[in-house]
Structures are given as structure tokens and as C-alpha cells.
Amino acid sequence: MVELTTVGSRRVLFVMAAEPEYGPHLRARFTPLITGIGPVEAALHTGVALARLEAAGQLPDLIVCLGSAGSRRCALGSVHQIASVSWRDMDASPLGIEPGVVPYLDEPKELPLETPLDLPVATLSSGGDVVSGDHWDRVSADMVDMETYAVARAARTFDVPLIGLRGVSDGPGELAGAHDWHKLLGYLDGELAKAVDLLHELQGA
């Protein structure tokens, strides 16, 4: 069964993509749903988890999706709450539909998220690729990841509010390998933990 964390009076589901992002500072605070990397895994495992929680009468009051991100605008090591998230892989423009808009789905191009914390805000683009080098030229958002849009769609389907927290691990240049992603994860573990602690200050928490 998925584990919820009690924060004040709220039951919170924390969602992360991968174990390397889940360091000792975050481990001391919650046990997350680890979805796996990419939008398909994130959508699948978040949707299944919420369906099971709903069936048990235990839907969370809040979902927090957190982890690392790339950026060419935000400073390395900085942590931001996500104001909106888009899906950069979706392109039905040959049908006359704006890129990023899902056909026949009554959803905006950019999904708004909750931003109640005392943290800087940023826009986020989710997709199935690791953005590096010249690929940044195709991204208009402040940050990139691979999972938040999928988690946001699942959260909206079950009418659960979502907070996105992302720490910048890489960008804007060319990634030289997985070690370029890993080298800041330990630092971001501590910074994201500080952001999680801010949840206790929310009104009604």
C-alpha cells in the first residue's frame, strides 16, 4: 500500500521519480511513491496509486511531486516551486492544434499548480527526453523534468491539489553523462528537505 505522510492535519502523498534523488535528509521526513523515470512510468504508477487510495477511502489531501530538474535560467542548486507545467512531447500541429495541447482534452497547454510556499516560482516543461546542449533552444519554460506533467494529470483526475518542488541539478550546457546529473543530488537532498519543512507552515496544515 502507498504510504501517506501526515503534515499537520493533511495527509500528503510525496511522489518522486528515482531512488538517487531520495537522499538521507528526505528519507528522514517521508516515504515517497517512487514512480520510475519518465512520463509513462509517472502517469502509470501515480494513477494506480491514487485509484487504490480512492478505493480504500484514503485519497490524500495534497500531493507533492519533487526531485531534480534541468535549467538554463535558474541557478544550479536552487529550489523552486512550480507555477505551471507543460508537456513538451505533445505535438499535434499537423492537425492544426497548438503544440503542447492534447487533442480532444479540455485542459490548458500549461497546467497551473499550487504555489503556497515561501519559495521562488518557476515554469516547468515535462517530456521524455533529457534536455542538453542545443535542445534547450526548443524549451520556453524555466526548467525541465520528465514526470511532473504526468503526476499533475493524475492529480487533476482525482481532484487532489499538487505542489511541485524542483531543484536544479544540471544545465544549461551539454551533459557529459550520468555523473553530471548525480553530482548535485546530495546537495539538493538537503535543500529540498528544507522546502518540505515549509509545508508545516501552511495555513490549516
Side-chain angles (χ1 to χ4, degrees):
M1 189 65 178
V2 179
E3 184 170 330
L4 300 180
T5 301
T6 300
V7 180
S9 62
R10 287 186 173 98
R11 296 176 301 173
V12 181
L13 174 63
F14 289 92
V15 179
M16 302 186 74
E19 290 283 346
E21 298 176 312
Y22 183 46
H25 294 286
L26 293 176
R27 288 176 187 272
R29 287 160 171 81
F30 60 81
T31 301
L33 169 67
I34 300 288
T35 64
I37 292 175
V40 173
E41 296 304 306
L44 171 65
H45 293 289
T46 305
V48 168
L50 290 174
R52 288 174 174 169
L53 288 167
E54 183 181 53
Q58 296 179 359
L59 271 179
D61 303 303
L62 176 68
I63 299 171
V64 178
C65 180
L66 70 164
S68 63
S71 180
R72 63 175 174 181
R73 298 177 186 166
C74 305
L76 286 171
S78 62
V79 170
H80 301 257
Q81 59 184 331
I82 304 306
S84 65
V85 61
S86 56
W87 186 9
R88 65 179 176 273
D89 295 337
M90 175 51 64
D91 186 356
S93 55
L95 304 179
I97 298 170
E98 182 183 3
V101 175
V102 181
Y104 308 115
L105 182 67
D106 187 22
E107 291 283 7
K109 179 178 178 178
E110 297 186 1
L111 302 181
L113 304 188
E114 303 281 323
T115 54
L117 304 179
D118 185 19
L119 288 171
V121 298
T123 57
L124 181 66
S125 168
S126 293
D129 61 323
V130 174
V131 178
S132 178
D134 293 342
H135 288 190
W136 281 109
D137 295 337
R138 302 197 296 265
V139 177
S140 59
D142 298 321
M143 308 172 80
V144 296
D145 81 340
M146 302 176 81
E147 296 84 23
T148 300
Y149 183 91
V151 176
R153 284 289 296 119
R156 287 167 75 86
T157 298
F158 288 88
D159 198 26
V160 180
L162 173 68
I163 293 175
L165 298 174
R166 290 284 154 178
V168 182
S169 59
D170 56 87
E174 196 84 42
L175 278 170
H179 64 278
D180 272 2
W181 171 53
H182 279 263
K183 63 186 178 183
L184 275 182
L185 294 186
Y187 174 77
L188 289 176
D189 172 52
E191 294 303 295
L192 285 167
K194 294 175 187 176
V196 167
D197 289 344
L198 295 176
L199 293 170
H200 293 272
E201 301 176 8
L202 293 179
Q203 186 176 4

